Amino acid sequence: MAESSLAHTREVVEGLARALDGDDFPAARAILAADCAYETKGETLRGPEAIIASYSAASAWARRAFDDVRYESRIESVAGATATVTFTDYLMKAGGRWHRYRCQQEFTVGAGDRIARIEHREIGGEREALDAYFKECGIER
């Protein structure tokens, strides 16, 4: 694939990652294809409304459950029309106890420069450490 095509994939995916990091769900929605599929936690969400509702609900829950929530993302690799992004969530509960949770998502850019497919991937040990942090903080999900 041409270098310019890889740069274009990176640009589209960076736009979505930035929108998600900033809880800018209207901007994120605009980058998703009408038939976008999001594979996460054993289920497949279809279409921008369902996908954005999932991202929005997760962020709203975190902001209710924790005293401070910060998001950041980094593109790890680009191969053809697909980019892998590591998302990092920084969560803080009263008393200053911070936790860092990381996961990866793979985004595929399709027609019209819209994201056609998203696949969520857990990073080994991250979910277990997050669940232990929830337990220590008395948080149920």
Side-chain angles (χ1 to χ4, degrees):
M1 175 167 263
E3 186 63 34
S4 64
S5 295
L6 294 176
H8 184 71
T9 296
R10 176 179 289 276
E11 180 182 327
V12 172
V13 172
E14 280 179 343
L16 179 59
R18 273 193 311 272
L20 293 173
D21 287 345
D23 281 352
D24 186 350
F25 299 113
R29 187 196 183 292
I31 300 170
L32 300 180
D35 60 348
C36 185
Y38 177 26
E39 297 175 26
T40 180
K41 300 174 189 159
E43 67 177 316
T44 301
L45 303 175
R46 298 196 185 279
E49 298 305 322
I51 294 166
I52 293 302
S54 174
Y55 282 121
S56 176
S59 184
W61 177 84
R63 293 188 186 286
R64 283 190 313 272
F66 297 96
D67 298 312
D68 195 2
V69 177
R70 300 175 193 177
Y71 302 122
E72 69 179 30
S73 59
R74 182 179 73 239
I75 292 184
E76 298 294 339
S77 64
V78 179
T82 301
T84 300
V85 177
T86 297
F87 287 95
T88 304
D89 302 351
Y90 297 96
L91 309 170
M92 196 270 291
K93 196 65 180 159
R97 180 153 163 67
W98 282 94
H99 181 79
R100 181 197 75 183
Y101 165 73
R102 295 175 307 134
C103 68
Q104 289 187 327
Q105 293 188 2
E106 187 175 87
F107 297 92
T108 301
V109 178
D113 298 333
R114 300 287 186 261
I115 302 295
R117 183 176 167 278
I118 305 166
E119 182 181 341
H120 178 90
R121 293 188 194 142
E122 292 293 338
I123 295 172
E126 290 284 331
R127 177 62 60 177
E128 295 80 5
L130 180 63
D131 289 342
Y133 176 68
F134 287 173
K135 186 175 180 178
E136 289 172 19
C137 292
I139 294 172
E140 291 186 29
R141 179 147 195 195

